[in-house]
Amino acid sequence: MSVARSQFLENLTGLNQAVKLDDVAAGNTSANVSPGILILRRGILIATLVALEAFVRDRTAELLQNLGRWPARFQDLPQALRDASLLNALPNLQKYAAMLKRQGEDYEAELISQIKKMASAQGPALEFTKFIAGDYTGNISDESFKSLLANFQIKDCWNNFRGFSSDIGLGVPSVHEVMKEIVRKRHRSAHSAGFAPSPTDISGLSKNLLCLGICFDVAMTSSIEQAIVHPNDWTDGKHSWRNGVDLYFVDPERKRYRLVKHGKLRALRVVNSSFDSRRFIPRPLPGRTAVLVERDLSKIPISWAIL
């Protein structure tokens, strides 16, 4: 079980609870809304991007440990990933270490630890610095998000994410717009003194955050699995992460749960709990990734697991 995913899903639950608080959700204008409620709404918008940033960075660090099983040389990795591992990671590390120094923390230990990982490019065992994920002292953006995915051979992410979100039942018209809106509202909440978020500004946040989280997680996990099993073809861009995903759903039905494979109507199993369904999902073949999406009565995703 991914610790990063578990924490992200907990954050989603907390966000959903906060958005549904009566005082926070009530009212359509700022005229009759107390300053305290406006501050809470602004805090929710900021916390949404913080949760996404933490998940993207922590999940990338987890998956980089898997990429340590890369069966070829460092020089055989895609050029973009090699640059992200060394050339681009160095200024990211320097900024982070400088921030640690200002805060009176052990910046030297961080430098030594991460530089050792960069130096492992000489082999025989590869390690990767977490600063592949970008500048830890700044906020994530739609461009940095897309760039990170591209480093791992995930091309045209916004169109592919739109298709995947439709497959799982989210039906988001544009995942790219979802990302830009989360970033835009966070920045207005943090830097615009006159910004007064309405209930509309915070409604749907948990759904949008889940959409970005599951798309990122599944794409990265699938792509790295393909990298390890098919290194040459992966480097040459001959594999698509979506083609490597075995997608399953578990849906509630009359106090029980139906396990269904994407594209099929007949249930594989009817089980007593959503967790029980995992036992009946076939082990994926090497190079493939099994994903289980838990949905509510309306068949809207509420959680996911990678098996």
Side-chain angles (χ1 to χ4, degrees):
M1 175 63 178
S2 161
V3 174
R5 187 185 310 119
S6 178
Q7 183 60 58
F8 181 73
L9 291 172
E10 285 186 21
N11 289 337
L12 269 176
T13 299
L15 174 66
N16 200 34
Q17 292 172 350
V19 168
K20 290 181 178 178
L21 290 173
D22 289 343
D23 289 341
V24 174
N28 294 317
T29 67
S30 61
N32 299 314
V33 179
S34 71
I37 295 302
L38 292 178
I39 287 175
L40 288 175
R41 289 177 185 167
R42 291 173 69 151
I44 287 171
L45 293 172
I46 293 171
T48 299
L49 186 62
V50 170
L52 179 62
E53 286 175 341
F55 179 60
V56 167
R57 291 164 179 170
D58 293 347
R59 184 60 181 144
T60 299
E62 289 179 341
L63 290 168
L64 287 171
Q65 294 181 12
N66 295 345
L67 192 60
R69 297 187 286 120
W70 173 252
R73 303 173 305 160
F74 178 83
Q75 290 78 7
D76 297 319
L77 289 164
Q79 186 64 55
L81 181 55
R82 287 158 56 192
D83 286 345
S85 302
L86 299 176
L87 179 65
N88 301 334
L90 280 170
N92 294 334
L93 171 59
Q94 192 278 331
K95 288 180 184 177
Y96 187 71
M99 182 189 72
L100 292 180
K101 184 177 181 181
R102 290 193 300 270
Q103 295 174 173
E105 299 182 47
D106 192 352
Y107 66 95
E108 291 178 335
E110 183 72 10
L111 284 166
I112 292 168
S113 171
Q114 297 301 321
I115 290 171
K116 281 183 178 178
K117 291 181 178 181
M118 295 181 193
S120 75
Q122 295 178 317
L126 287 180
E127 290 186 87
F128 297 91
T129 173
K130 67 181 182 181
F131 292 98
I132 287 175
D135 177 9
Y136 276 52
T137 67
N139 293 120
I140 197 170
S141 68
D142 61 312
E143 286 300 321
S144 64
F145 188 75
K146 178 181 178 181
S147 177
L148 173 60
L149 290 160
N151 290 338
F152 291 90
Q153 300 294 67
I154 299 167
K155 312 298 183 184
D156 196 18
C157 66
W158 302 124
N159 282 329
N160 281 304
F161 285 177
R162 181 177 59 185
F164 183 70
S165 71
S166 177
D167 285 347
I168 63 177
L170 282 172
V172 176
S174 171
V175 181
H176 191 189
E177 286 302 317
V178 166
M179 179 71 183
K180 289 195 293 186
E181 187 69 7
I182 286 177
V183 172
R184 182 162 51 244
K185 287 180 178 178
R186 180 271 168 201
H187 291 342
R188 291 189 69 191
S189 294
H191 303 298
S192 177
F195 180 47
S198 69
T200 303
D201 288 316
I202 61 173
S203 65
L205 278 177
S206 57
K207 174 185 173 182
N208 290 341
L209 191 57
L210 184 141
C211 176
L212 289 167
I214 189 173
C215 286
F216 176 83
D217 191 16
V218 173
M220 287 283 284
T221 304
S222 175
S223 188
I224 288 179
E225 174 64 20
Q226 291 174 341
I228 294 166
V229 177
H230 307 290
N232 294 332
D233 287 345
W234 182 76
T235 295
D236 292 340
K238 295 179 180 178
H239 280 278
S240 164
W241 67 269
R242 283 196 71 192
N243 293 338
V245 173
D246 297 328
L247 182 60
Y248 299 86
F249 302 107
V250 58
D251 301 323
E253 184 182 83
R254 299 176 185 174
K255 298 183 180 180
R256 301 188 76 191
Y257 294 84
R258 296 178 75 248
L259 173 64
V260 182
K261 187 171 185 180
H262 175 61
K264 305 293 183 181
L265 295 177
R266 186 176 179 179
L268 294 173
R269 288 273 180 170
V270 178
V271 295
N272 292 323
S273 73
S274 59
F275 190 84
D276 286 345
S277 65
R278 302 183 186 200
R279 298 190 291 116
F280 302 103
I281 294 176
R283 186 180 182 87
L285 295 173
R288 301 194 63 81
T289 300
V291 178
L292 176 64
V293 177
E294 182 178 355
R295 302 190 294 191
D296 62 18
L297 286 168
S298 301
K299 295 190 175 180
I300 302 298
I302 55 176
S303 181
W304 80 95
I306 295 179
L307 308 176

